[in-house]
Amino acid sequence: MLEVKNIDVYYGNIQALKSVSIEIKQGEIVTLIGANGAGKSTLLKSISGLLKPKKGDILYENQSISGKAAQTIVKQGISHVPEGRRVFANMSVEENLELGAFIRTDKAGIRDDFEKVFQLFPRLKERAKQQSGTLSGGEQQMLAMGRALMARPRLLILDEPSMGLAPLLVKTIFKIIQEINQSGTTILLVEQNANMALSIADRAYVIETGQIVLSGSSDELTASDQLKNAYLGGH
């Protein structure tokens, strides 16, 4: 479904990604693991059109999307939930969700998707008229995910969905990620909580200083000593 082929990405003169290649098959959950500053968000931004690779190519459903405008990529079926949630604080929950569907004109479908989002996240339904800035961190994360789903993505990119959340809420968010995947959406997940990410992912890649250093099935990586020592707390 998605193939990143040997991309180099720079911020000015600083190279952030070096010959990075990953692939995602339809229906999978693929996780990208790495320390802060390893290049995870840079890779996600390159896929969703916020950064343009200097070299290499990004293919989505066998078509190059490298360097295309972000809104074009959303229209093609990729939604990105950025790190830090970025909800529109002075707008209501409902208005945030409506914005997620701004590229769509199928009113009945949009209504259906409102209901689907409210089924996934009952708490958002309770707070539909509330200003988003007054929501808790967990509720804002739910809203950011709900808003991305309103575009009906075939590929959903999640950047650090559990960051700053209480452990109980983290479990809820991960359960919902699995439900979204089971309903047919492919997922690329960046997550500091490597144990949690590997527990739901099919495959994983490990990125260090802008390069992919390990990849394999979740089971293989969970068993890898290199990964255990670096990211899984050494046990």
Side-chain angles (χ1 to χ4, degrees), residues 33 174 192-200 222 231-233 235:
I33 295 166
F174 271 82
Q192 287 262 289
N193 188 334
N195 280 310
M196 232 18 208
L198 289 168
S199 74
I200 67 164
T222 304
Y231 302 104
L232 304 180
H235 47 74

Side-chain angles (χ1 to χ4, degrees), residues 26-226:
Q26 194 164 351
E28 285 189 313
I29 297 179
V30 172
T31 186
L32 185 64
I33 295 166
N36 272 340
K40 305 186 300 290
S41 293
T42 302
L43 176 54
L44 300 192
K45 286 175 183 167
S46 303
I47 294 167
S48 60
L50 299 170
L51 287 172
K52 189 173 175 6
K54 205 164 189 177
K55 203 188 103 205
D57 204 0
I58 300 169
L59 301 175
Y60 173 65
E61 295 179 334
N62 297 320
Q63 287 192 332
S64 176
I65 56 168
S66 187
K68 277 194 177 175
Q71 62 268 31
T72 307
I73 291 173
V74 173
K75 280 181 185 155
Q76 283 186 263
I78 299 178
S79 283
H80 182 168
V81 181
E83 188 182 342
R85 313 189 247 282
R86 314 249 179 105
V87 298
F88 296 100
N90 57 352
M91 297 171 90
S92 72
V93 165
E94 219 164 49
E95 288 165 338
N96 267 272
L97 293 174
E98 275 168 9
L99 271 178
F102 80 98
I103 56 167
R104 294 171 56 187
T105 50
D106 55 322
K107 288 207 170 93
I110 292 170
R111 268 199 308 276
D112 286 350
D113 285 352
F114 257 103
E115 282 316 306
K116 278 185 195 155
V117 168
F118 286 149
Q119 275 170 1
L120 271 177
F121 305 105
R123 221 178 288 186
L124 295 183
K125 189 170 190 172
E126 291 163 22
R127 291 167 170 56
K129 303 290 181 203
Q130 200 170 312
Q131 272 206 337
S132 303
T134 63
L135 300 178
S136 71
E139 289 160 352
Q140 288 189 8
Q141 183 60 51
M142 292 172 187
L143 179 55
M145 288 164 69
R147 183 178 61 191
L149 289 172
M150 290 300 294
R152 277 211 183 156
R154 292 193 297 284
L155 173 63
L156 180 64
I157 298 176
L158 297 167
D159 195 353
E160 301 286 7
S162 82
M163 189 180 270
L165 301 187
L168 201 63
L169 253 179
V170 173
K171 280 198 172 124
T172 306
I173 292 285
F174 271 82
K175 207 166 137 261
I176 292 165
I177 292 170
Q178 284 178 291
E179 283 174 35
I180 292 168
N181 176 247
Q182 281 153 9
S183 71
T185 307
T186 306
I187 289 174
L188 173 57
L189 169 68
V190 157
E191 181 51 62
Q192 287 262 289
N193 188 334
N195 280 310
M196 232 18 208
L198 289 168
S199 74
I200 67 164
D202 298 293
R203 291 186 305 107
Y205 291 90
V206 179
I207 188 166
E208 281 177 12
T209 56
Q211 290 175 298
I212 301 290
V213 293
L214 266 180
S215 67
S217 72
S218 292
D219 292 344
E220 285 166 347
L221 290 199
T222 304
S224 145
D225 288 340
Q226 192 182 341

